[in-house]
Amino acid sequence: MGKKLVSLENIIFRYEGQSRNALDDVSFDIYQGEWLAIVGHNGSGKSTLAKLLNGLQFAHSGTIMINDQIMTEETVWDVRQKIGMVFQNPDNQFVGTTVQDDVAFGLENAGVSQQVMVERVHGALNKVKMNAFLNQEPHHLSGGQKQRVAIAGVIALQPDIIILDEATSMLDPRGREEVLETVRELKQENEITVISITHDLEEAAKADRMIVMNQGQLYREGPPQDIFELEEELIALGLDIPFSVKLTKELQKNGVRVVNGHLTEEELVKDLCELHSMM
Amino acid sequence: MRITLDDVEYRYQVNTPFEHLALHDVNISMESGTYTAIIGHTGSGKSTLLQHLNALLKPTKGRVFIGDRTIEAGKKEKLLRPIRQKVGIVFQFPEHQLFDETVEKDICFGPMNFGVSEVEAKKLARKAIVQVGLSEDILVKSPFDLSGGQMRRVAIAGVLAMEPEVLVLDEPTAGLDPRGRKEIMDMFYDLHKVRGISTILVTHSMEDAAKYADDIIIMHQGTVFKKGTPQEIFSQPEQLLELGLDVPDTVRFQLKLQKELGVRFDHPCLNIGDLAIEIDKAMKRGNR
């Protein structure tokens, strides 16, 4: 595990006019270079966490440390240079009239020189494989392409951390895979830390570590392997388990002796093939 | 109520430089009391098709039969209101359309627009709110004080209160957590079974299509690529994958396993129980 990049300590947050804390004494750490999936039912506090990490809201008590800097209203601008965020709705995060203008927007805000800006815009669009669309207008793009442009806008600022706040939930299956593949490649090449807030359990299964939120509290954290062993408990929390875990259970019920803990279909297929060859 | 599309074509912005053919040669029929899923990826024409089902769009060629009404290209139609009442559409993220002070007023808006009295509309609102699994005391609240999942249900109640005979659902579970998704889909299935509402589900989810629909229509590049029962549609999964469409998890797994084991199951498994049984059989046949 990499070094500690973010740490949250005893975070409490409540939205105005609500009777219940949206985040209720939440503490955890995020390590450099990991892919952390945060899952939980609607209203469990996942998105509030993202807003706090990016300084869109501030905790009522507790501290957030990002790269040894405490998040306050004074430091938020520094912190935002380290954390980029991709939101759910591809149509709500376009500001430029063309793809390259859109990616340049954040850089302009950060006061980057023209020459560096051109380099970074092109570089970022290359990385998300959208360089062929430089002068396209956003509404001609598919949802997956729009999200990739949003990601380019984020990585042009060279952040340490990318937060995906349900960034694939409005996309069709093809768009979803496109976006996740892009983020996986970025993570590998640039050692970016990824925090993915998601309902997609198949995606979470591929994370390095998971956090399960429930009613504003951290319910459990650990590698996907351990988390998905909770099975029924997760379902009771309004979540689900990956297909390969469900099928494993069903097979065992039928007396097929597959072993537990296959988080991907490939592993389960392999296990079945081995069993089959021993028959 | 039966809806039939006969040789339907639709072009956006005809006679402008932006003219765009969105639908062509669409021939489909959705029988009364059935559950139909319409599948296809973004840009396949699903949304354009959906808007023909209650005459929000009129075909630029061909005819649409909605119950005893005919919507025909080139003919001016009057009195579309009864069609809109009988065919209710739940659009994507319907909670974005909530607007009134209270949940009750919001739900009553639709029926009152169709000429129902206020007293009657309030009765319908009470009935609808229960149907979507919420309690009556939510009626006095502001829709904007509710959680996302509750708002979605209230918006759906607004459509149900118009007592439609056909319910068209456009990605009704987008953005919900797994439990919310299942609850909403089961609720629509109950309405379909108990009240006999014809249901047309527009979705990306092959799981839902396989689980709930009697018939599946696959749209591709503006026209019908394939139609049939789930068993028929998923008996050639390779075809769908080539189009870049998904297949249900069970079918995808079956495909991978068949390839690795060099066997072939005699039918596509559409639920996990069936898949486990078929795998068990294949294992028992062993390497012989």
Side-chain angles (χ1 to χ4, degrees):
Chain A
M1 223 182 294
K3 80 172 176 80
K4 200 187 281 182
L5 195 59
V6 179
S7 80
L8 284 81
E9 266 178 56
N10 309 106
I11 296 297
I12 293 179
F13 179 82
R14 183 184 295 196
Y15 287 100
E16 223 175 270
Q18 295 288 322
S19 54
R20 190 172 74 77
N21 288 339
L23 291 175
D24 192 14
D25 199 12
V26 175
S27 306
F28 63 90
D29 299 323
I30 300 169
Y31 301 93
Q32 190 160 21
E34 74 171 338
W35 182 305
L36 175 70
I38 303 182
V39 301
H41 57 84
N42 288 119
S44 62
K46 301 183 306 277
S47 291
T48 308
L49 264 178
K51 286 179 194 154
L52 261 64
L53 283 171
N54 202 20
L56 293 170
Q57 299 279 6
F58 291 91
H60 298 327
S61 69
T63 48
I64 299 180
M65 291 269 283
I66 295 172
N67 235 346
D68 301 323
Q69 194 169 29
I70 292 181
M71 166 84 89
T72 64
E73 291 188 39
E74 284 73 48
T75 61
V76 62
W77 297 103
D78 291 340
V79 168
R80 281 197 194 147
Q81 292 190 355
K82 294 175 194 151
I83 301 190
M85 202 152 161
V86 182
F87 295 94
Q88 181 180 38
N89 190 338
D91 293 318
N92 287 352
Q93 47 194 322
F94 252 100
V95 283
T97 50
T98 66
V99 164
Q100 62 174 342
D101 282 358
D102 191 72
V103 177
F105 180 80
L107 294 168
E108 283 177 335
N109 268 346
V112 172
S113 76
Q114 166 77 16
Q115 195 197 340
V116 176
M117 198 185 303
V118 172
E119 263 169 44
R120 289 233 210 134
V121 168
H122 289 206
L125 284 169
N126 251 330
K127 280 190 181 144
V128 300
K129 301 193 181 78
M130 286 296 290
N131 40 332
F133 297 84
L134 283 179
N135 292 310
Q136 283 270 3
E137 292 168 36
H139 64 264
H140 287 308
L141 306 177
S142 73
Q145 290 172 331
K146 284 180 194 167
Q147 290 299 66
R148 273 149 63 199
V149 173
I151 293 170
V154 164
I155 57 172
L157 290 162
Q158 304 180 327
D160 299 327
I161 303 170
I162 293 185
I163 302 179
L164 307 173
D165 189 2
E166 297 192 37
T168 61
S169 69
M170 288 177 73
L171 306 180
D172 63 17
R174 186 192 275 178
R176 186 173 310 154
E177 208 27 62
E178 242 172 59
V179 168
L180 290 175
E181 201 45 49
T182 302
V183 179
R184 275 184 208 119
E185 280 171 21
L186 284 173
K187 180 182 174 262
Q188 204 129 51
E189 288 164 18
N190 307 298
E191 296 192 353
I192 289 181
T193 306
V194 179
I195 303 172
S196 177
I197 292 169
T198 185
H199 286 315
D200 182 350
L201 278 307
E202 305 294 333
E203 182 209 318
K206 292 185 180 144
D208 299 315
R209 212 157 56 91
M210 286 175 70
I211 282 181
V212 183
M213 294 293 296
N214 184 42
Q215 303 193 359
Q217 294 184 324
L218 189 148
Y219 182 81
R220 200 61 74 88
E221 64 176 303
Q225 207 79 22
D226 297 354
I227 298 291
F228 289 121
E229 265 174 35
L230 299 173
E231 293 177 3
E232 296 303 323
E233 239 176 291
L234 289 179
I235 291 168
L237 292 182
L239 300 174
D240 205 354
I241 45 178
F243 174 73
S244 51
V245 178
K246 274 191 223 163
L247 182 57
T248 300
K249 277 179 67 178
E250 199 66 29
L251 285 167
Q252 290 169 340
K253 242 193 260 170
N254 280 280
V256 182
R257 290 202 307 277
V258 281
V259 295
N260 274 329
H262 297 304
L263 291 188
T264 66
E265 292 171 18
E266 286 69 24
E267 288 169 36
L268 182 53
V269 167
K270 209 171 137 230
D271 189 359
L272 282 167
C273 285
E274 276 164 22
L275 270 176
H276 188 255
S277 67
M278 290 187 299
M279 285 288 194
Chain B
M1 200 169 71
R2 183 176 179 207
I3 300 181
T4 303
L5 279 74
D6 176 26
D7 217 11
V8 165
E9 174 202 273
Y10 187 80
R11 288 173 192 273
Y12 283 100
Q13 297 179 289
V14 178
N15 295 329
T16 74
F18 307 106
E19 183 170 327
H20 168 63
L21 178 63
L23 284 182
H24 64 92
D25 304 299
V26 175
N27 290 291
I28 46 174
S29 195
M30 285 146 286
E31 301 299 325
S32 189
T34 59
Y35 195 129
T36 307
I38 300 178
I39 287 177
H41 34 69
T42 318
S44 62
K46 281 179 312 191
S47 303
T48 308
L49 175 61
L50 175 150
Q51 294 176 70
H52 281 80
L53 302 177
N54 77 346
L56 283 176
L57 289 180
K58 211 168 63 170
T60 49
K61 211 186 106 193
R63 290 178 297 180
V64 180
F65 303 97
I66 306 170
D68 54 7
R69 299 285 301 269
T70 306
I71 310 291
E72 198 165 352
K75 283 199 180 160
K76 195 109 183 111
E77 266 313 310
K78 280 183 195 150
L79 265 181
L80 292 172
R81 233 176 230 201
I83 296 182
R84 310 257 161 83
Q85 182 265 313
K86 283 182 187 150
V87 182
I89 301 190
V90 177
F91 283 100
Q92 261 187 58
F93 295 92
E95 61 275 22
H96 294 171
Q97 297 166 36
L98 296 173
F99 69 100
D100 221 323
E101 283 168 4
T102 66
V103 168
E104 183 175 50
K105 281 186 186 170
D106 211 299
I107 299 176
C108 288
F109 178 79
M112 284 170 69
N113 236 349
F114 291 117
V116 170
S117 74
E118 194 176 338
V119 180
E120 188 59 27
K122 283 185 176 174
K123 269 191 214 157
L124 290 169
R126 269 199 299 283
K127 195 170 145 200
I129 206 77
V130 176
Q131 274 175 343
V132 297
L134 297 172
S135 74
E136 285 185 24
D137 43 308
I138 215 166
L139 286 168
V140 297
K141 290 193 183 167
S142 160
F144 304 102
D145 286 341
L146 307 177
S147 73
Q150 288 172 326
M151 283 169 79
R152 172 94 35 117
R153 285 165 194 264
V154 168
I156 292 168
V159 176
L160 293 180
M162 294 186 272
E163 306 211 289
E165 291 175 35
V166 181
L167 201 51
V168 181
L169 312 169
D170 188 4
E171 290 280 351
T173 62
L176 297 182
D177 60 28
R179 181 197 286 155
R181 229 175 284 164
K182 185 172 183 304
E183 283 174 359
I184 295 269
M185 288 311 296
D186 286 348
M187 175 194 91
F188 283 128
Y189 194 65
D190 277 351
L191 283 169
H192 166 68
K193 282 284 166 209
V194 176
R195 280 180 44 187
I197 298 183
S198 315
T199 306
I200 300 166
L201 170 72
V202 177
T203 184
H204 292 312
S205 165
M206 294 291 173
E207 316 302 322
D208 287 345
K211 184 170 172 194
Y212 299 107
D214 304 313
D215 295 298
I216 297 178
I217 295 169
I218 308 252
M219 294 296 294
H220 185 59
Q221 296 182 341
T223 197
V224 177
F225 175 75
K226 208 174 174 184
K227 53 190 173 187
T229 62
Q231 280 291 336
E232 286 162 0
I233 293 285
F234 296 117
S235 62
Q236 286 162 298
E238 296 91 343
Q239 222 180 25
L240 301 179
L241 293 169
E242 267 166 35
L243 289 190
L245 287 167
D246 253 1
V247 294
D249 289 336
T250 48
V251 175
R252 192 182 55 239
F253 189 87
Q254 178 180 349
L255 211 59
K256 279 185 201 162
L257 188 66
Q258 285 181 163
K259 204 171 138 217
E260 291 300 317
L261 290 183
V263 297
R264 203 170 165 89
F265 301 171
D266 61 4
H267 67 277
C269 299
L270 299 184
N271 66 65
I272 208 160
D274 184 28
L275 178 61
I277 291 168
E278 289 302 317
I279 293 176
D280 184 32
K281 281 191 212 159
M283 302 306 279
K284 283 185 180 134
R285 281 195 298 270
N287 254 342
R288 279 167 289 163

